[in-house]
Structure formats: structure tokens, C-alpha cells
Amino acid sequence: MAEIGTDIQKAVDELNRGNVVAVPTETVYGLAGNAFDVTAVAKIFEVKRRPSFDPLIVHIASYDCLDSVVRRIPEPARILAQALWPGPLTLVLPKADEIPELVTSGLSTVAVRVPDHPLTAKLLATLSFPLACPSANPFGYISPTSAQHVADQLGEAINYILDGGSCKVGIESTIVGFEDGQAVIYRPGGVPVESIEHLIGKTSMKSMSDSPLAPGMLKSHYSPSKSLILGNISELLDQYGHEQVGVLSFSRYFEQLDHGYQIQLSPTGNLTEAAQNLFASLRKLDSMNIRYIFAETVPEQGLGIAINNRLKRAAGGNAQINVRKECS
Ligand code: TXA
Ligand code: MG
């Protein structure tokens, strides 16, 4: 069983040995390995049971390290990185030869970011290589936002989990690529699209698709094992009844259902708080003795766009209302 602790040197030793270690970031916990070492990268795929067509994000210590992993930095990427790193922004850029093809699933681009967490910042500054680091969950399941979440699912497969407390953002990074000089949002996340557009102007969103070329946009992802149905919660309660039902609402409480089976993402209706609580709440509901999780979308603005994106993907085909068809 993995040891949980705050000993950076232990994590350094494991990584230098070519092993994988779970590390905290401001978004979610990641499963890290030496990005230049194909064997370490292969371990990441194996532990996560991740298909090799789904590329990994490379984590670097600072903007100054970007040249070691990418070939070219377009001007809008430079502006975004300088304004928003360290932080929940991932840039997709032409990859340097040193990055193994396994990391990028054969793509000519690499996804890269500078995480904003003191422990992992120190870890990266100590290491002589960048870290390939996807979210530390089994492929397709809810991302972890605490060390315990990682231990619950990957504890048998790894030796060490660096414990940095609960993730302050709670939702994965926003992924931005550049196609024909135009910024494209591949995944809405911890940096609101509005903040990106404020810096570099209009962006476009890639629609969700099942295309293996853009696996991060798979429609069904972040899935709890219970059936999550996204819609109008009152109507769902009327339609399905209250037996074996749990509710995940934005801020409302439903009188008709036992209080123990309800979680409000933010009782005050705050989207930052809702993002922080999202994945832990889904896990909590998933562990209850219920059959269905009824959930509703949050306001489609700021972090709400990323929250709704995760809820829709957690619902897979079970969305009963038309929230935006785009990548929201
Ligand atoms: O906040 C985060 O980004 C977290 C923390 C640990 O940093 N990491 C994370 O990694 O969410 P992961 O592997 O769960 O999601 C990364 C997504 C994948 O869905 C992958 O398809 C996409 O990034 N991706 C990676 N490289 C790409 C590339 N070259 N082009 C397009 N998408 C890429
Ligand atoms: Mg993930």
C-alpha cells in the first residue's frame, strides 16, 4: 500500500529510480513520472489503465523550462504562459525531439503546464527532468482532489503519494492549442475562457467528439459507477421517485428527499467553491448505497463552463436537458 506523506526527498528518490509517484497540484492530483524516460511513462499508462492513444500533460518548473520541451512558442502562447503560470492552464505546442512519442501518443504537439502547488513546485525545481503527469485516477473515473482519493484507487500500484491537502481549484486545467494562429480551447478548466480571451482575444472551442485524435474530449469520462442523470432535479424526483436516489445540486436543497442523500456544491451559489467540491462530492455520492445520482448544471459562465463540461461527461448519454452542445 502506498505511503502518504509530505517528504519531497522520498518523491525525488522514487522518480529518480524511474518509478511513478502521485503529486498534488492546484487542480487535481497527478500521477507523475520522468517525461524523458519511456519506461517511467509506460508505467503511468499501466497504473492508470490508460489507452496509449490518450496523450499526457508534461509539467515543468517554470516558464524558463519551456524551451526544453517545445520547439516553438507562438506569441499568444507566450502571453498566456507569462500571465497565467504557475496556474491551471495547459498549452499545446510543437513538441521538442526529447519528448518521447509515447508521452504525446504520436502527436507532433505536446501539452505542457506549470502547476501552482508549493510541494510540487519544489519537487520540479529539484528534479533534472520534467514530469509527465495525468490525473491520478483510473482511466475514465472521477479525478482525485485529495491524497486519500488517490490511495483509495491506486494505492496498491504505487509506493508514494505526496500529500498536499485538498486541491484549491478542484477541476483540471484549461487546455489551449493553436491552429492556424488561432487559439482553440480543447478542454474548459480552471482558467475561465473569459480570462484567456481578455489576454489574447477571441478563441474557439472544439466540440466534444469520440475522435481518438482528441481523447481528452471523449464524451463519456469522469464517470461515477452509479448512473448519473443530468437534468431538472425536481422533475427527476417526480419521474423516478426517491428510492435509492442521491442528489448533487448547485445550491438548492430539496425538501422531499432525505438530507443525508443530498450534496450542495455551494450553498451560497459560488462557482469557485462549487469547482472545489465537485469531484469529492461525486465520489461521496458514488460510495452511497444508491442507484441514481440526479444532478443539475450550474450557470454557464466562468468556472461554470468547466463544471458543466465535467457533469455532462460524467452523465455520458444520460443528460436529459440540452446544455450547450459545444465543448462546454
Ligand atoms: O489539471 C490538469 O491538467 C491535471 C493535473 C494533474 O495537471 N492533469 C490532467 O491530465 O488533467 P489528464 O491526462 O487527465 O488530461 C490531459 C488531457 C488528456 O485528455 C489529453 O487528451 C489532453 O490533455 N492532451 C494531452 N496532450 C495533448 C495534445 N498534444 N493535444 C491535445 N490534447 C492533449
Ligand atoms: Mg484525467
Side-chain angles (χ1 to χ4, degrees):
M1 195 62 186
E3 183 186 342
I4 300 180
T6 55
D7 187 345
I8 292 176
Q9 193 51 48
K10 249 190 190 150
V12 169
D13 293 343
E14 282 287 316
L15 290 162
N16 278 335
R17 242 179 260 140
N19 287 335
V20 298
V21 166
V23 300
T25 82
E26 78 283 28
T27 59
V28 300
Y29 275 69
L31 187 64
N34 179 350
F36 292 151
D37 174 0
V38 184
T39 313
V41 175
K43 281 185 195 166
I44 297 176
F45 280 97
E46 191 184 309
V47 169
K48 267 191 70 94
R49 299 186 186 286
R50 182 178 179 117
S52 59
F53 62 71
D54 195 2
L56 309 178
I57 298 179
V58 171
H59 292 58
I60 54 174
S62 70
Y63 177 78
D64 295 337
C65 305
L66 190 55
D67 282 332
S68 66
V69 295
V70 309
R71 243 182 324 109
R72 197 166 45 79
I73 309 169
E75 190 51 22
R78 195 183 302 278
I79 294 170
L80 291 177
Q82 283 177 336
L84 299 169
W85 280 352
L89 168 77
T90 294
L91 296 172
V92 174
L93 299 171
K95 91 173 190 64
D97 292 341
E98 288 72 22
I99 298 291
E101 297 227 317
L102 186 59
V103 170
T104 63
S105 303
L107 297 174
S108 60
T109 52
V110 61
V112 53
R113 83 179 191 100
V114 178
D116 184 17
H117 190 289
L119 284 186
T120 300
K122 205 161 169 199
L123 177 67
L124 282 164
T126 310
L127 294 166
S128 59
F129 46 79
L131 291 172
C133 185
S135 54
N137 50 285
F139 183 70
Y141 193 67
I142 305 160
S143 297
T145 52
S146 74
Q148 192 56 51
H149 291 165
V150 181
D152 289 345
Q153 289 186 302
L154 303 183
E156 300 292 341
I158 60 178
N159 295 331
Y160 198 64
I161 300 171
L162 194 57
D163 187 355
S166 291
C167 301
K168 68 179 184 199
V169 175
I171 207 156
E172 299 87 346
S173 59
T174 305
I175 304 182
V176 185
F178 302 89
E179 296 180 10
D180 303 324
Q182 171 69 32
V184 181
I185 311 282
Y186 294 130
R187 176 178 73 182
V191 175
V193 173
E194 294 90 328
S195 309
I196 289 168
E197 295 195 334
H198 179 74
L199 289 160
I200 58 166
K202 200 82 196 121
T203 62
S204 59
M205 286 236 194
K206 272 262 158 98
S207 303
M208 279 191 216
S209 77
D210 294 321
S211 152
L213 249 190
M217 297 184 284
L218 288 176
K219 263 184 194 153
S220 175
H221 215 69
Y222 308 99
S223 305
S225 54
K226 304 283 155 57
S227 221
L228 186 144
I229 304 176
L230 196 59
N232 178 308
I233 293 173
S234 294
E235 285 173 14
L236 288 170
L237 287 169
D238 288 344
Q239 194 182 333
Y240 288 77
H242 304 167
E243 287 300 311
Q244 294 209 293
V245 161
V247 155
L248 182 66
S249 78
F250 180 35
S251 56
R252 266 183 304 169
Y253 176 73
F254 295 85
E255 292 293 339
Q256 60 271 52
L257 187 72
D258 189 294
H259 136 115
Y261 291 97
Q262 304 191 43
I263 299 180
Q264 286 97 33
L265 285 175
S266 168
T268 58
N270 178 310
L271 288 169
T272 303
E273 185 184 33
Q276 279 163 356
N277 290 331
L278 179 66
F279 290 143
S281 304
L282 278 172
R283 277 174 187 262
K284 194 160 173 201
L285 285 161
D286 208 25
S287 71
M288 288 181 186
N289 183 23
I290 55 175
R291 253 184 92 188
Y292 297 108
I293 301 169
F294 295 162
E296 63 185 0
T297 51
V298 303
E300 183 77 1
Q301 66 193 49
L303 287 180
I305 295 174
I307 295 171
N308 288 339
N309 169 273
R310 303 307 187 269
L311 285 170
K312 274 184 277 175
R313 290 204 269 164
N318 287 337
Q320 296 215 342
I321 53 168
N322 249 339
V323 251
R324 277 174 40 167
K325 279 260 164 55
E326 286 299 283
C327 184
S328 44

